[in-house]
Amino acid sequence: MKKTVLFTILSLFVSISYAQIDRSQQPKPGPAPEINLQEPNTFDLNNGLKVMVVENNKLPRVSIQLTIDNPPILEGDKAGVGSLTASLLGNGSKSISKDDFNEEVDFLGAFISFGSQSAFASSLSKYFQRILELMADAAIDPNFTQEEFDKEKDKLITGLKAQEKDVSAIAGRVESALAYGKNHPKGEFITQETVNNVTLADVQQFYRNYFVPANAYLVVIGDVKFDEVKDLVTEHFTPWTKAVPPSIAYSEPTQVQYAQINFIDMPNAVQSEISVQNLVDLKMKDGDYLHALLANRILGGGAQARLFLNLREDKGYTYGSYSGIGNDKYGPTTFRASASVRNMVTDSSVVEILKEVDKIIKEPVSEQELADAKAKYTGNFVMALEKPQTIANYALNIEIEDLPKDFYKTYLERLNAVTIDQVQQAAQKHFSSSNSRVVVTGKGSEVIENLEKVEFNGKKLPVLYYDRYASKAEKPDYGAGIPEGMAAEDVINRYFEAIGGVDKVNGIESLKLVYEGEVMGSKIKVEEKRTADKFAQTTYMNESPMMGVVAKGDELYMKQGANKMPLPDDMKKDMLSVMGIFPEQAFLANGSAKLAGIEKIDGKDAYKIDVSGTVINASFFYDTETGLKVKESSTINMNGQTQNQSSSLKEYQEIDGIKFPSVKTQSMGPQEIEVKLLEAVINKGVSEADFE
């Protein structure tokens, strides 16, 4: 009886307790935790250098960060002088040679690096005194020599040459130039011409003007004592001559007056780089700073944001789409939503990005989206507090950005207080779909036609054309120069004549080609065997077969060892359409080739022939003068993913009356592999066993 009464009382207690909790309502968040930040100890030198010291004895290490907070610098017709200054700093000093300096730093297991207006060093705390001394010596009394200047100048020019075919690098350059203007520090860019204008004297003057202590901050973090740091810094940085950087005037950038597409033609592009951008006036001390960060997070701040979920997860247009918003106390910066997409969906991607920007401006975000964004920032903030570097960064931001002293102590409180209305107001203020500049860098022959049809909010977006240096250009005419009446068949027959003659080509019954090269120290060999209706390719690494592709009859499969993996039917159909001793024989016979225009390949005109398939879209390029094939490229689209491949063909040599390219530069994604012709065997060396 007692047990029954006890059970009844307990049941009643549980029922009452449960009834008091409304499970249909999300619990209200508790108060933001109180943030107790350790404040660094500080002191100033008479020359203007401000020093912050954060003592942390958990590990026997120390880091030293020098930051010079100068306004943006316009380098003009000597753009590159800052980059050269950065590369020359750290090459020892007038009292210690470059080799001795580097040898000692390495011996101590330390690290020292320089920027044009910054420096960083780290080491074990027992070597702190010497590393600080070396860093100060290299910063205050640098060793600028003509020999090192010439070396760094050559390296910079070599890097610029390598970028001229880098679609992503060109896109970034032009996007900034169009946003800010080429006569603004954030919009100007380095060219070979501007680098060649720079002399060693210019570097020395740049250093004297801008590597000065007036706006400099030195942050020391780690296993150190404040008094020791103060004595050492005073000793080694007091000789730094007091100076103020010169002021430079430049025009402020302006917002575009209407939404527009700015197109930069890159014939070698295998996908389109899209950026939807507008100017933003946002500073860290602004009242809506956190509101803007949350709005951007919801729109495009990660894999759970709207842009990613739309363009990747829903549409499968890209591997990822993101947005970012800058802040700058010195002037305008940008909001930017971007994606790298397949050529065939470039126009659709532009529309979808604009739709998402427009939507967050016009419609409130959901409570869940805001809660998730706050949770992400809260998590990042709390995790960052575990790092000693964070304390120094926060203290530095308070100084540099003119923030309230309690900016970070109240960070979570202010973050959690942001409302849906405030997020929308920030989006309305800082994002734009009606005054946005849509910059598209890509292959004009494949995307311009559809881009010129893009409409948004009932209006057709005008397309303006620019070259790779952000100067206005004419719309590319890909049909210009094609002789009247010329068709793909004519180009192919000219190619056959160029390599040995149509009759000679048609007389080949089998062909074996072997190319060899080197990648990261390993020998790569690619062996191809072909007949009229069969194809086998095997790739070897250090003489061991790694992977193969075989096509014969209705079969198409990959080989890895003894394993055969059939490839999809759509891919099989596309590959069979170009099956032959030479692929040109196949697409000439089946009529799938289309003469698409003329494009520049390595500075020379080449006829472009497109062969479109369901999964594989291929293009072949033939020199308009010699008739020889100079490039092949293909794009494979499967399951929402894109794989791009291309081969440049050079230095033809004749073997048994037929010319073959002796050098191939094969590109797969960001990698390039050069292989050379090792063997070409006509009408022998191929058997049925090769296609098993």
Side-chain angles (χ1 to χ4, degrees), residues 138-293:
I140 297 172
D141 199 17
N143 186 28
F144 294 153
T145 66
Q146 188 66 47
E147 180 183 4
E148 289 300 322
F149 172 79
D150 291 339
K151 286 180 183 178
E152 294 301 331
K153 190 172 181 178
D154 288 342
K155 284 164 61 176
L156 182 55
I157 290 175
T158 300
L160 290 172
K161 289 178 179 178
Q163 285 185 354
E164 285 311 299
K165 292 185 179 180
D166 187 326
V167 180
S168 180
I170 298 296
R173 177 171 77 192
V174 178
E175 286 168 17
S176 296
L178 292 177
Y180 298 103
K182 289 189 281 187
N183 295 319
H184 187 278
K186 292 184 180 179
E188 69 176 355
F189 47 80
I190 303 172
T191 66
Q192 293 182 51
E193 182 181 1
T194 63
V195 172
N196 283 323
N197 290 336
V198 181
T199 65
L200 178 60
D202 294 322
V203 168
Q204 293 167 332
Q205 188 61 51
F206 184 94
Y207 167 81
R208 287 192 294 269
N209 284 344
Y210 300 108
F211 208 96
V212 295
N215 302 316
Y217 298 82
L218 187 72
V219 179
V220 180
I221 307 166
D223 186 20
V224 293
K225 299 297 182 184
F226 175 77
D227 291 340
E228 177 194 15
V229 173
K230 186 173 182 179
D231 290 343
L232 289 170
V233 170
T234 301
E235 176 186 354
H236 296 298
F237 279 92
T238 294
W240 196 1
T241 304
K242 185 176 183 179
V244 176
S247 58
I248 299 176
Y250 44 81
S251 57
E252 288 295 314
T254 57
Q255 200 80 271
V256 291
Q257 296 180 343
Y258 53 87
Q260 57 186 258
I261 296 173
N262 296 172
F263 184 78
I264 301 93
D265 186 31
M266 291 289 291
N268 65 307
V270 294
Q271 60 184 5
S272 296
E273 301 289 336
I274 300 174
S275 171
V276 176
Q277 60 186 34
N278 60 263
L279 293 173
V280 172
D281 185 12
L282 180 66
K283 302 172 179 60
M284 284 190 71
K285 66 180 181 180
D286 290 345
D288 65 348
Y289 172 69
L290 291 180
H291 311 169
L293 292 188

Side-chain angles (χ1 to χ4, degrees), residues 42-52 66-70 140 211-219 233-234 237-245 396 399-400:
T42 64
F43 65 93
D44 296 347
L45 297 187
N46 291 333
N47 57 16
L49 178 65
K50 300 174 182 63
V51 185
M52 301 178 181
L66 176 66
T67 301
I68 305 176
D69 181 36
N70 289 329
I140 297 172
F211 208 96
V212 295
N215 302 316
Y217 298 82
L218 187 72
V219 179
V233 170
T234 301
F237 279 92
T238 294
W240 196 1
T241 304
K242 185 176 183 179
V244 176
L396 188 59
E399 288 286 335
I400 290 177

Side-chain angles (χ1 to χ4, degrees), residues 674-688:
E674 184 179 275
V675 293
K676 295 185 178 181
L677 184 63
L678 195 65
E679 185 180 18
V681 182
I682 298 173
N683 291 337
K684 56 184 177 179
V686 177
S687 66
E688 284 296 322

Side-chain angles (χ1 to χ4, degrees), residues 279-482:
L279 293 173
V280 172
D281 185 12
L282 180 66
K283 302 172 179 60
M284 284 190 71
K285 66 180 181 180
D286 290 345
D288 65 348
Y289 172 69
L290 291 180
H291 311 169
L293 292 188
L294 289 168
N296 179 73
R297 174 76 199 177
I298 293 167
L299 175 64
Q304 299 303 316
R306 292 179 177 183
L307 286 171
F308 193 97
L309 294 176
N310 181 340
L311 275 79
R312 172 171 172 154
E313 299 299 327
D314 183 36
K315 304 294 191 309
Y317 289 166
T318 177
Y319 285 118
S321 180
Y322 306 93
S323 67
I325 185 168
N327 63 88
D328 191 340
K329 70 176 182 179
Y330 289 114
T333 179
T334 58
F335 160 76
R336 179 176 179 270
S338 62
S340 301
V341 305
R342 306 194 313 272
N343 291 343
M344 67 179 63
V345 296
T346 300
D347 55 318
S348 302
S349 299
V350 167
V351 173
E352 291 303 321
I353 294 174
L354 285 170
K355 280 183 179 178
E356 292 296 349
V357 175
D358 202 49
K359 180 181 177 182
I360 200 168
I361 292 171
K362 294 178 178 178
E363 300 176 14
V365 301
S366 70
E367 290 185 7
Q368 188 61 54
E369 286 177 313
L370 181 55
D372 290 344
K374 288 180 179 180
K376 184 65 178 179
Y377 273 109
T378 299
N380 290 344
F381 183 82
V382 172
M383 289 179 65
L385 291 177
E386 298 176 4
K387 303 175 183 177
Q389 182 71 45
T390 299
I391 298 169
N393 288 341
Y394 288 173
L396 188 59
N397 282 342
I398 288 171
E399 288 286 335
I400 290 177
E401 299 291 342
D402 191 25
L403 303 176
K405 295 297 182 183
D406 64 349
F407 182 87
Y408 289 104
K409 290 183 179 179
T410 63
Y411 182 91
L412 293 182
E413 180 183 344
R414 290 181 291 111
L415 181 76
N416 288 328
V418 177
T419 66
I420 289 174
D421 286 343
Q422 288 172 327
V423 168
Q424 186 176 8
Q425 289 165 11
Q428 291 169 342
K429 179 180 177 182
H430 299 296
F431 306 165
S432 177
S433 57
S434 58
N435 295 92
S436 56
R437 188 190 294 274
V438 183
V439 185
V440 180
T441 307
K443 191 170 187 174
S445 60
E446 296 184 6
V447 305
I448 283 178
E449 183 178 353
N450 287 333
L451 272 181
E452 291 190 328
K453 298 175 184 177
V454 168
E455 291 187 3
F456 181 68
N457 282 344
K459 294 181 180 179
K460 191 172 182 179
L461 296 187
V463 181
L464 308 177
Y465 295 92
Y466 293 85
D467 65 19
R468 60 187 66 187
Y469 295 100
S471 296
K472 285 191 174 180
E474 296 294 324
K475 176 183 175 181
D477 184 358
Y478 299 102
I482 297 179

Side-chain angles (χ1 to χ4, degrees), residues 1 93 98 132 194 267 380 488 502 538 551 591 668:
M1 180 66 179
S93 70
K98 173 185 174 182
L132 179 71
T194 63
N380 290 344
V502 175
T538 305
M668 297 186 67

Side-chain angles (χ1 to χ4, degrees), residues 469-663:
Y469 295 100
S471 296
K472 285 191 174 180
E474 296 294 324
K475 176 183 175 181
D477 184 358
Y478 299 102
I482 297 179
E484 187 175 351
M486 176 170 272
E489 180 180 356
D490 302 308
V491 175
I492 294 168
N493 284 328
R494 286 185 73 239
Y495 165 61
F496 286 157
E497 289 295 337
I499 63 174
V502 175
D503 291 340
K504 187 78 173 178
V505 168
N506 290 336
I508 300 176
E509 296 181 356
S510 70
L511 177 64
K512 175 184 175 182
L513 295 172
V514 181
Y515 284 87
E516 190 174 79
E518 189 172 290
V519 179
M520 298 176 65
S522 297
K523 187 168 70 174
I524 297 291
K525 185 168 71 173
V526 181
E527 183 179 274
E528 293 183 6
K529 296 182 179 180
R530 308 175 187 173
T531 67
D533 60 351
K534 298 181 185 69
F535 172 84
Q537 182 186 74
T538 305
T539 301
Y540 298 82
M541 181 173 286
N542 296 328
E543 301 299 332
S544 298
M546 299 294 294
M547 185 175 62
V549 178
V550 176
K552 62 174 183 174
D554 290 333
E555 289 186 278
L556 174 65
Y557 54 86
M558 291 180 63
K559 287 180 64 177
Q560 285 187 315
N563 297 322
K564 296 181 179 181
M565 293 164 283
L567 294 174
D569 289 340
D570 286 341
M571 181 178 285
K572 177 171 65 178
K573 180 182 176 182
D574 291 345
M575 287 195 67
L576 292 176
S577 70
V578 293
M579 186 77 69
I581 301 292
F582 297 92
E584 288 81 2
Q585 292 171 308
F587 55 72
L588 182 61
N590 60 36
S592 59
K594 174 187 174 184
L595 181 56
I598 293 179
E599 293 188 13
K600 292 282 187 185
I601 304 295
D602 292 334
K604 294 185 177 181
D605 287 341
Y607 293 117
K608 178 192 177 189
I609 288 181
D610 286 339
V611 180
S612 299
T614 305
V615 173
I616 305 175
N617 293 294
S619 296
F620 302 82
F621 300 85
Y622 306 84
D623 190 291
T624 57
E625 292 184 10
T626 66
L628 294 172
K629 181 163 54 178
V630 291
K631 183 179 178 180
E632 298 176 342
S633 66
S634 64
T635 302
I636 303 173
N637 297 305
M638 288 184 63
N639 302 322
Q641 297 186 357
T642 301
Q643 181 181 356
N644 301 291
Q645 300 178 0
S646 67
S647 296
S648 296
L649 315 175
K650 300 177 182 178
E651 300 178 22
Y652 277 75
Q653 70 178 74
E654 185 175 320
I655 298 175
D656 292 341
I658 297 291
K659 292 180 180 178
F660 300 95
S662 64
V663 177

